[in-house]
Coordinates of all heavy atoms in Angstrom, one line a residue:
I30 N -13.4 19.0 -3.1 CA -13.8 17.8 -3.7 C -12.7 17.4 -4.8 O -12.4 16.3 -5.0 CB -15.2 17.8 -4.4 CG1 -16.2 17.9 -3.2 CG2 -15.4 16.7 -5.2 CD1 -17.6 18.0 -3.7
R31 N -12.2 18.4 -5.4 CA -11.2 18.1 -6.5 C -9.9 17.4 -6.0 O -9.5 16.4 -6.6 CB -10.8 19.5 -7.2 CG -9.7 19.4 -8.2 CD -10.2 18.7 -9.5 NE -9.1 18.7 -10.4 CZ -8.7 17.6 -11.1 NH1 -9.4 16.5 -11.0 NH2 -7.7 17.7 -12.0
P32 N -9.3 17.9 -4.9 CA -8.1 17.1 -4.4 C -8.5 15.7 -4.0 O -7.7 14.8 -4.2 CB -7.7 17.9 -3.1 CG -8.2 19.3 -3.4 CD -9.5 19.1 -4.1
Q33 N -9.6 15.5 -3.4 CA -10.0 14.1 -3.0 C -10.2 13.2 -4.2 O -9.8 12.1 -4.3 CB -11.3 14.2 -2.2 CG -11.8 12.8 -1.7 CD -13.1 12.9 -1.0 OE1 -13.7 13.9 -0.7 NE2 -13.6 11.7 -0.5
S34 N -10.8 13.8 -5.3 CA -11.0 13.0 -6.5 C -9.7 12.7 -7.1 O -9.5 11.6 -7.6 CB -11.9 13.9 -7.5 OG -12.0 13.2 -8.7
K35 N -8.8 13.6 -7.1 CA -7.4 13.4 -7.7 C -6.7 12.3 -6.9 O -6.1 11.4 -7.5 CB -6.6 14.7 -7.6 CG -5.2 14.6 -8.2 CD -4.5 15.9 -8.2 CE -3.1 15.7 -8.7 NZ -2.3 17.0 -8.5
R36 N -6.8 12.3 -5.6 CA -6.2 11.3 -4.8 C -6.7 9.9 -5.0 O -6.0 8.9 -5.1 CB -6.3 11.7 -3.3 CG -5.7 10.7 -2.3 CD -4.2 10.7 -2.4 NE -3.7 9.7 -1.5 CZ -2.7 8.9 -1.8 NH1 -2.1 8.9 -2.9 NH2 -2.3 8.0 -0.9
Q37 N -8.1 9.8 -5.2 CA -8.7 8.6 -5.5 C -8.3 8.0 -6.8 O -8.1 6.8 -6.9 CB -10.2 8.7 -5.5 CG -10.8 8.9 -4.1 CD -12.3 9.2 -4.1 OE1 -12.9 9.7 -5.1 NE2 -12.9 9.0 -2.9
K38 N -8.1 8.9 -7.8 CA -7.6 8.4 -9.1 C -6.1 7.9 -9.0 O -5.8 6.9 -9.6 CB -7.6 9.5 -10.1 CG -9.0 9.9 -10.6 CD -9.0 11.0 -11.6 CE -10.4 11.3 -12.0 NZ -10.5 12.4 -12.9
E39 N -5.3 8.5 -8.2 CA -3.9 8.1 -7.9 C -3.9 6.7 -7.3 O -3.1 5.8 -7.6 CB -3.2 9.1 -7.1 CG -2.9 10.4 -7.8 CD -2.3 11.4 -6.9 OE1 -2.1 11.1 -5.6 OE2 -2.0 12.5 -7.3
I40 N -4.8 6.5 -6.3 CA -4.9 5.2 -5.6 C -5.3 4.1 -6.5 O -4.7 3.1 -6.6 CB -5.8 5.3 -4.4 CG1 -5.2 6.2 -3.3 CG2 -6.1 3.9 -3.8 CD1 -6.2 6.6 -2.2
R41 N -6.3 4.4 -7.3 CA -6.8 3.4 -8.3 C -5.7 3.1 -9.3 O -5.5 1.9 -9.6 CB -8.1 4.0 -9.1 CG -8.6 3.1 -10.1 CD -9.2 1.8 -9.6 NE -10.3 2.1 -8.7 CZ -10.7 1.2 -7.8 NH1 -10.2 0.0 -7.7 NH2 -11.7 1.5 -7.0
K42 N -5.0 4.0 -9.8 CA -3.9 3.8 -10.7 C -2.8 2.9 -10.1 O -2.3 2.0 -10.7 CB -3.3 5.1 -11.2 CG -2.2 5.0 -12.2 CD -1.6 6.3 -12.6 CE -0.5 6.2 -13.6 NZ 0.1 7.5 -14.0
F43 N -2.5 3.2 -8.8 CA -1.5 2.4 -8.0 C -2.0 1.0 -7.9 O -1.2 0.0 -8.2 CB -1.3 3.0 -6.6 CG -0.4 2.2 -5.8 CD1 1.0 2.2 -5.9 CD2 -1.0 1.4 -4.8 CE1 1.8 1.4 -5.1 CE2 -0.2 0.6 -3.9 CZ 1.2 0.6 -4.1
Q44 N -3.3 0.8 -7.6 CA -3.8 -0.6 -7.4 C -3.8 -1.3 -8.8 O -3.5 -2.5 -8.8 CB -5.2 -0.5 -6.9 CG -5.3 0.0 -5.4 CD -6.7 0.4 -5.0 OE1 -7.6 0.6 -5.8 NE2 -6.8 0.4 -3.6
D45 N -4.1 -0.6 -9.8 CA -4.1 -1.3 -11.2 C -2.7 -1.7 -11.6 O -2.6 -2.6 -12.4 CB -4.8 -0.4 -12.2 CG -6.3 -0.2 -12.0 OD1 -6.9 -1.1 -11.3 OD2 -6.8 0.8 -12.5
Q46 N -1.7 -1.0 -11.1 CA -0.3 -1.3 -11.5 C 0.4 -2.2 -10.6 O 1.6 -2.4 -10.7 CB 0.5 0.0 -11.7 CG 0.0 0.9 -12.8 CD 0.7 2.2 -12.9 OE1 1.4 2.6 -11.9 NE2 0.5 2.9 -14.0
L47 N -0.3 -2.8 -9.6 CA 0.4 -3.7 -8.6 C 0.9 -4.9 -9.4 O 0.3 -5.5 -10.3 CB -0.6 -4.2 -7.6 CG -0.9 -3.2 -6.5 CD1 -2.0 -3.8 -5.6 CD2 0.3 -2.9 -5.6
E48 N 2.1 -5.3 -9.0 CA 2.7 -6.6 -9.6 C 3.6 -7.2 -8.5 O 4.0 -6.6 -7.5 CB 3.5 -6.2 -10.8 CG 4.6 -5.2 -10.7 CD 5.3 -4.9 -12.0 OE1 4.6 -4.9 -13.0 OE2 6.4 -4.6 -11.9
S49 N 3.9 -8.5 -8.8 CA 4.7 -9.3 -7.8 C 6.0 -8.6 -7.6 O 6.7 -8.1 -8.5 CB 4.9 -10.7 -8.5 OG 5.6 -11.5 -7.5
G50 N 6.4 -8.5 -6.3 CA 7.6 -7.9 -5.9 C 7.5 -6.5 -5.3 O 8.4 -6.0 -4.6
N51 N 6.3 -5.8 -5.6 CA 6.1 -4.5 -5.0 C 6.0 -4.6 -3.5 O 5.3 -5.5 -3.0 CB 4.8 -3.9 -5.6 CG 4.9 -3.5 -7.0 OD1 5.9 -3.8 -7.7 ND2 3.9 -2.8 -7.5
K52 N 6.5 -3.6 -2.8 CA 6.3 -3.4 -1.4 C 5.1 -2.5 -1.2 O 4.9 -1.5 -1.9 CB 7.5 -2.9 -0.7 CG 8.7 -3.8 -0.7 CD 9.9 -3.2 0.0 CE 11.0 -4.2 0.0 NZ 12.2 -3.7 0.7
V53 N 4.2 -2.9 -0.3 CA 2.9 -2.2 -0.1 C 2.5 -2.1 1.4 O 3.1 -2.7 2.2 CB 1.7 -2.9 -0.8 CG1 2.0 -2.9 -2.3 CG2 1.5 -4.3 -0.3
I54 N 1.6 -1.2 1.6 CA 1.0 -1.0 2.9 C -0.5 -1.1 2.7 O -1.1 -0.5 1.8 CB 1.2 0.4 3.5 CG1 2.7 0.7 3.6 CG2 0.6 0.5 4.9 CD1 3.1 2.1 4.0
T55 N -1.2 -1.9 3.6 CA -2.7 -2.1 3.5 C -3.4 -1.0 4.2 O -2.7 -0.3 5.0 CB -3.1 -3.4 4.0 OG1 -2.9 -3.5 5.4 CG2 -2.4 -4.6 3.3
S56 N -4.7 -0.9 4.1 CA -5.4 0.1 4.8 C -5.4 -0.2 6.3 O -5.6 0.7 7.1 CB -6.9 0.1 4.4 OG -7.5 -1.2 4.6
G57 N -5.1 -1.4 6.7 CA -5.0 -1.8 8.1 C -3.6 -1.6 8.7 O -3.3 -1.8 9.9
G58 N -2.7 -1.1 7.9 CA -1.3 -0.8 8.4 C -0.4 -1.9 8.3 O 0.7 -1.9 8.9
I59 N -0.7 -2.9 7.5 CA 0.2 -4.1 7.4 C 1.1 -3.9 6.2 O 0.7 -3.5 5.1 CB -0.6 -5.4 7.1 CG1 -1.6 -5.7 8.3 CG2 0.3 -6.6 6.8 CD1 -2.6 -6.8 8.1
Y60 N 2.4 -4.0 6.5 CA 3.5 -3.9 5.5 C 3.8 -5.2 4.9 O 3.9 -6.2 5.7 CB 4.7 -3.3 6.1 CG 4.7 -1.8 6.5 CD1 3.8 -1.3 7.4 CD2 5.4 -0.9 5.8 CE1 3.8 0.0 7.8 CE2 5.4 0.5 6.1 CZ 4.5 0.9 7.1 OH 4.5 2.2 7.4
G61 N 4.1 -5.3 3.6 CA 4.4 -6.6 3.1 C 4.9 -6.5 1.6 O 5.0 -5.3 1.1
K62 N 5.1 -7.6 1.0 CA 5.6 -7.6 -0.4 C 4.6 -8.4 -1.2 O 4.2 -9.5 -0.8 CB 7.0 -8.3 -0.5 CG 7.6 -8.3 -1.9 CD 8.9 -9.1 -1.9 CE 10.0 -8.1 -1.7 NZ 11.3 -8.8 -2.0
V63 N 4.2 -7.9 -2.3 CA 3.2 -8.6 -3.2 C 3.8 -9.8 -3.8 O 4.9 -9.8 -4.3 CB 2.7 -7.6 -4.3 CG1 1.8 -8.4 -5.3 CG2 2.0 -6.4 -3.7
K64 N 3.1 -11.0 -3.6 CA 3.5 -12.2 -4.2 C 2.7 -12.6 -5.4 O 3.2 -13.3 -6.3 CB 3.5 -13.3 -3.2 CG 4.5 -13.2 -2.1 CD 5.9 -13.4 -2.8 CE 7.0 -13.3 -1.8 NZ 8.3 -13.4 -2.5
D65 N 1.4 -12.2 -5.4 CA 0.5 -12.6 -6.5 C -0.6 -11.6 -6.6 O -1.0 -11.1 -5.6 CB 0.0 -14.0 -6.4 CG -0.7 -14.5 -7.6 OD1 -0.5 -14.0 -8.7 OD2 -1.6 -15.4 -7.4
V66 N -1.0 -11.2 -7.8 CA -2.1 -10.3 -8.0 C -3.2 -11.0 -8.9 O -2.9 -11.5 -9.9 CB -1.7 -9.0 -8.7 CG1 -2.9 -8.1 -8.9 CG2 -0.6 -8.3 -7.9
K67 N -4.4 -11.1 -8.3 CA -5.5 -11.7 -9.0 C -6.5 -10.6 -9.3 O -6.1 -9.4 -9.1 CB -6.1 -12.8 -8.2 CG -5.2 -13.9 -7.9 CD -5.7 -15.0 -6.9 CE -4.6 -16.0 -6.6 NZ -5.0 -16.9 -5.5
E68 N -7.6 -10.9 -9.8 CA -8.6 -9.9 -10.3 C -8.9 -8.9 -9.1 O -8.8 -7.7 -9.3 CB -9.8 -10.5 -10.8 CG -10.8 -9.5 -11.4 CD -12.0 -10.1 -12.1 OE1 -11.9 -11.3 -12.4 OE2 -13.0 -9.4 -12.2
N69 N -9.3 -9.4 -8.0 CA -9.7 -8.5 -6.9 C -9.0 -8.8 -5.6 O -9.2 -8.3 -4.5 CB -11.2 -8.7 -6.6 CG -12.1 -8.1 -7.7 OD1 -11.7 -7.1 -8.3 ND2 -13.1 -8.9 -8.1
I70 N -8.0 -9.8 -5.6 CA -7.3 -10.2 -4.5 C -5.8 -10.0 -4.7 O -5.2 -10.2 -5.8 CB -7.5 -11.7 -4.2 CG1 -9.0 -12.0 -4.0 CG2 -6.6 -12.2 -3.0 CD1 -9.5 -11.5 -2.7
V71 N -5.1 -9.6 -3.7 CA -3.6 -9.4 -3.7 C -3.1 -10.3 -2.6 O -3.5 -10.3 -1.4 CB -3.2 -8.0 -3.4 CG1 -1.7 -7.9 -3.4 CG2 -3.8 -7.0 -4.5
V72 N -2.1 -11.2 -2.9 CA -1.5 -12.1 -2.0 C -0.2 -11.3 -1.5 O 0.7 -11.0 -2.3 CB -1.1 -13.5 -2.6 CG1 -0.4 -14.3 -1.5 CG2 -2.4 -14.1 -3.1
I73 N -0.1 -11.1 -0.2 CA 1.0 -10.3 0.4 C 1.8 -11.2 1.3 O 1.2 -11.8 2.2 CB 0.5 -9.0 1.1 CG1 -0.3 -8.1 0.1 CG2 1.6 -8.3 1.7 CD1 -0.9 -6.9 0.7
E74 N 3.1 -11.2 1.2 CA 3.9 -11.9 2.1 C 4.4 -10.9 3.2 O 5.0 -9.9 2.9 CB 5.2 -12.5 1.4 CG 6.0 -13.3 2.4 CD 7.1 -14.1 1.6 OE1 7.9 -13.4 1.0 OE2 7.2 -15.3 1.7
V75 N 4.0 -11.2 4.5 CA 4.3 -10.3 5.6 C 5.5 -10.7 6.4 O 6.0 -9.9 7.2 CB 3.0 -10.1 6.5 CG1 1.9 -9.4 5.7 CG2 2.5 -11.4 7.0
A76 N 5.9 -12.0 6.3 CA 7.1 -12.5 6.9 C 7.5 -13.7 6.1 O 6.8 -14.1 5.1 CB 6.8 -12.9 8.3
D77 N 8.6 -14.3 6.4 CA 9.1 -15.5 5.6 C 8.0 -16.6 5.6 O 7.6 -17.1 6.7 CB 10.3 -16.1 6.2 CG 11.5 -15.1 5.9 OD1 11.5 -14.3 5.0 OD2 12.5 -15.3 6.7
N78 N 7.5 -16.9 4.4 CA 6.5 -18.0 4.3 C 5.2 -17.7 5.0 O 4.4 -18.6 5.3 CB 7.0 -19.3 4.6 CG 8.2 -19.8 3.7 OD1 8.1 -19.6 2.5 ND2 9.2 -20.3 4.3
V79 N 4.9 -16.4 5.3 CA 3.6 -16.1 5.9 C 2.9 -15.1 4.9 O 3.3 -14.0 4.6 CB 3.8 -15.3 7.2 CG1 2.4 -14.9 7.8 CG2 4.5 -16.2 8.2
R80 N 1.8 -15.7 4.3 CA 1.1 -14.9 3.2 C -0.3 -14.7 3.6 O -0.9 -15.5 4.2 CB 1.2 -15.6 1.9 CG 2.6 -15.7 1.4 CD 2.7 -16.5 0.1 NE 4.1 -16.5 -0.3 CZ 4.6 -17.1 -1.4 NH1 3.7 -17.7 -2.2 NH2 5.9 -17.1 -1.6
I81 N -0.8 -13.5 3.2 CA -2.2 -13.2 3.5 C -2.9 -12.7 2.2 O -2.2 -12.2 1.3 CB -2.4 -12.1 4.6 CG1 -1.7 -10.8 4.2 CG2 -1.9 -12.6 5.9 CD1 -1.9 -9.6 5.1
N82 N -4.2 -13.0 2.1 CA -5.0 -12.5 1.0 C -5.7 -11.3 1.4 O -6.3 -11.2 2.5 CB -6.0 -13.6 0.6 CG -5.4 -14.8 0.0 OD1 -4.3 -14.8 -0.6 ND2 -6.1 -15.9 0.1
V83 N -5.5 -10.2 0.6 CA -6.1 -8.9 0.9 C -6.9 -8.4 -0.3 O -6.5 -8.6 -1.5 CB -5.0 -7.9 1.2 CG1 -5.6 -6.5 1.5 CG2 -4.2 -8.4 2.4
A84 N -8.0 -7.8 -0.1 CA -8.8 -7.2 -1.2 C -7.9 -6.1 -1.8 O -7.3 -5.4 -1.2 CB -10.1 -6.6 -0.7
K85 N -7.9 -6.1 -3.2 CA -7.1 -5.2 -3.9 C -7.4 -3.8 -3.5 O -6.5 -2.9 -3.5 CB -7.3 -5.4 -5.4 CG -6.3 -4.8 -6.3 CD -6.5 -5.2 -7.7 CE -5.4 -4.9 -8.6 NZ -5.7 -5.3 -10.0
S86 N -8.7 -3.5 -3.2 CA -9.1 -2.1 -2.9 C -8.6 -1.7 -1.5 O -8.7 -0.5 -1.2 CB -10.6 -2.0 -2.9 OG -11.2 -2.9 -2.0
M87 N -8.0 -2.6 -0.7 CA -7.5 -2.2 0.6 C -6.0 -2.0 0.6 O -5.4 -1.8 1.6 CB -7.8 -3.3 1.6 CG -9.3 -3.5 1.9 SD -10.0 -2.0 2.7 CE -11.0 -1.4 1.4
V88 N -5.4 -2.0 -0.6 CA -3.9 -1.7 -0.7 C -3.8 -0.3 -1.2 O -4.3 0.0 -2.3 CB -3.2 -2.7 -1.7 CG1 -1.8 -2.4 -1.8 CG2 -3.4 -4.1 -1.2
F89 N -3.2 0.6 -0.3 CA -3.3 2.0 -0.7 C -1.9 2.6 -1.0 O -1.9 3.7 -1.7 CB -3.8 2.8 0.5 CG -5.3 2.6 0.7 CD1 -5.8 2.0 1.8 CD2 -6.2 3.1 -0.3 CE1 -7.2 1.8 1.9 CE2 -7.5 2.9 -0.1 CZ -8.0 2.3 1.0
A90 N -0.8 2.1 -0.6 CA 0.4 2.8 -0.8 C 1.6 1.9 -0.7 O 1.5 0.8 -0.3 CB 0.6 3.9 0.3
S91 N 2.7 2.4 -1.2 CA 4.0 1.7 -1.0 C 4.7 2.4 0.1 O 4.5 3.6 0.4 CB 4.8 1.8 -2.3 OG 5.3 3.1 -2.5
P92 N 5.6 1.7 0.9 CA 6.3 2.4 2.0 C 7.1 3.6 1.5 O 7.3 4.5 2.3 CB 7.2 1.3 2.5 CG 6.6 0.0 2.1 CD 5.9 0.3 0.8
D93 N 7.6 3.6 0.3 CA 8.4 4.7 -0.2 C 7.6 5.9 -0.4 O 8.1 7.0 -0.2 CB 9.0 4.3 -1.6 CG 9.9 3.1 -1.5 OD1 10.5 2.9 -0.4 OD2 10.0 2.4 -2.5
S94 N 6.3 5.8 -0.6 CA 5.4 7.0 -0.8 C 4.7 7.4 0.4 O 4.1 8.5 0.4 CB 4.4 6.7 -1.9 OG 3.4 5.8 -1.5
A95 N 4.8 6.7 1.5 CA 4.2 7.0 2.8 C 4.9 8.3 3.3 O 6.1 8.4 3.3 CB 4.3 5.9 3.8
T96 N 4.2 9.2 3.9 CA 4.8 10.4 4.4 C 5.3 10.2 5.9 O 4.7 9.4 6.6 CB 3.7 11.5 4.4 OG1 2.6 11.1 5.2 CG2 3.3 11.9 3.0
L97 N 6.3 10.9 6.2 CA 6.9 10.8 7.5 C 6.3 11.9 8.4 O 6.3 13.1 7.9 CB 8.4 10.9 7.5 CG 9.1 9.8 6.8 CD1 10.6 10.1 6.7 CD2 8.9 8.5 7.5
A98 N 5.8 11.6 9.5 CA 5.2 12.6 10.4 C 6.2 12.8 11.6 O 6.4 11.9 12.4 CB 3.9 12.2 10.9
P99 N 6.7 14.1 11.9 CA 7.5 14.3 13.0 C 6.8 14.2 14.3 O 5.7 14.7 14.5 CB 8.1 15.7 12.8 CG 7.1 16.3 11.9 CD 6.4 15.3 11.1
L100 N 7.4 13.5 15.3 CA 6.9 13.4 16.7 C 7.4 14.6 17.4 O 6.7 15.4 17.9 CB 7.2 12.1 17.3 CG 6.5 10.9 16.9 CD1 7.1 9.6 17.6 CD2 5.0 11.0 17.1
S101 N 8.7 14.6 17.6 CA 9.4 15.7 18.3 C 10.9 15.6 17.9 O 11.3 14.6 17.3 CB 9.2 15.6 19.8 OG 10.0 14.6 20.3
S102 N 11.7 16.6 18.3 CA 13.1 16.5 17.9 C 13.8 15.3 18.6 O 14.8 14.8 18.1 CB 13.8 17.8 18.2 OG 13.6 18.1 19.6
K103 N 13.3 14.9 19.8 CA 13.9 13.8 20.5 C 13.5 12.5 20.0 O 14.3 11.6 19.9 CB 13.5 13.9 22.0 CG 14.2 15.0 22.8 CD 13.8 14.8 24.2 CE 14.4 15.9 25.1 NZ 14.0 15.8 26.5
E104 N 12.3 12.3 19.5 CA 11.8 11.0 19.1 C 12.0 10.7 17.7 O 11.9 9.6 17.2 CB 10.3 11.0 19.4 CG 10.0 11.0 20.9 CD 8.5 11.0 21.2 OE1 7.9 12.0 20.8 OE2 8.0 10.1 21.9
G105 N 12.3 11.7 16.9 CA 12.6 11.5 15.4 C 11.3 11.4 14.7 O 10.4 12.2 14.9
F106 N 11.2 10.4 13.8 CA 10.1 10.3 12.9 C 9.4 8.9 13.0 O 10.1 7.9 13.3 CB 10.5 10.5 11.4 CG 11.0 11.9 11.1 CD1 12.3 12.2 11.3 CD2 10.1 12.9 10.7 CE1 12.8 13.5 11.0 CE2 10.6 14.1 10.4 CZ 11.9 14.5 10.6
V107 N 8.1 8.8 12.6 CA 7.4 7.6 12.5 C 6.7 7.5 11.2 O 6.5 8.5 10.6 CB 6.4 7.4 13.7 CG1 7.1 7.3 15.0 CG2 5.4 8.5 13.7
R108 N 6.5 6.3 10.8 CA 5.7 6.2 9.5 C 4.2 6.0 9.9 O 3.8 5.5 10.8 CB 6.2 4.9 8.8 CG 7.4 5.2 8.1 CD 7.7 4.1 7.1 NE 8.9 4.5 6.5 CZ 9.1 4.7 5.2 NH1 8.2 4.4 4.4 NH2 10.3 5.1 4.7

C-alpha cells in the first residue's frame, strides 16, 4: 500500500503543477501539449489547431517520464 500511496501523491503533484506548454499523456494514451489549465479541465492540443478538453485527473504523465518497455532486440522499444 505504501508504494501505491507514494505514486498517487506524485501523480497529484504532477497534476497540480500542470501549466501551458507542458507535454503530457492522458490515461487513454493520448499525447499532446497543454494549452490551458482550468480548475478541473486541461485543454490539450493533439495536432495543429486540434484541441481537446480532458479532466485534469486523467492526465498522468509527461512523455519524458514514461518508461520504455523492451519488445525484443529486433523490435527495439515502445512507449
Side-chain angles (χ1 to χ4, degrees):
I30 293 181
R31 176 72 177 133
Q33 181 181 359
S34 175
K35 182 180 176 185
R36 179 70 180 138
Q37 287 174 339
K38 286 180 184 179
E39 290 173 359
I40 291 169
R41 178 65 60 200
K42 183 178 177 183
F43 174 79
Q44 291 168 343
D45 289 341
Q46 293 176 346
L47 283 174
E48 57 186 32
S49 184
N51 288 9
K52 292 182 179 180
V53 296
I54 304 171
T55 68
S56 62
I59 299 172
Y60 286 68
K62 184 185 267 188
V63 175
K64 287 297 180 181
D65 190 22
V66 180
K67 300 174 183 170
E68 187 174 338
N69 294 319
I70 302 287
V71 179
V72 179
I73 300 174
E74 185 172 57
V75 294
D77 290 338
N78 295 317
V79 178
R80 295 179 181 181
I81 59 173
N82 293 333
V83 178
K85 195 175 195 180
S86 61
M87 295 293 113
V88 177
F89 288 114
S91 69
D93 300 331
S94 67
T96 59
L97 297 175
L100 287 177
S101 72
S102 59
K103 287 184 179 180
E104 295 174 301
F106 294 90
V107 295
R108 282 195 180 235

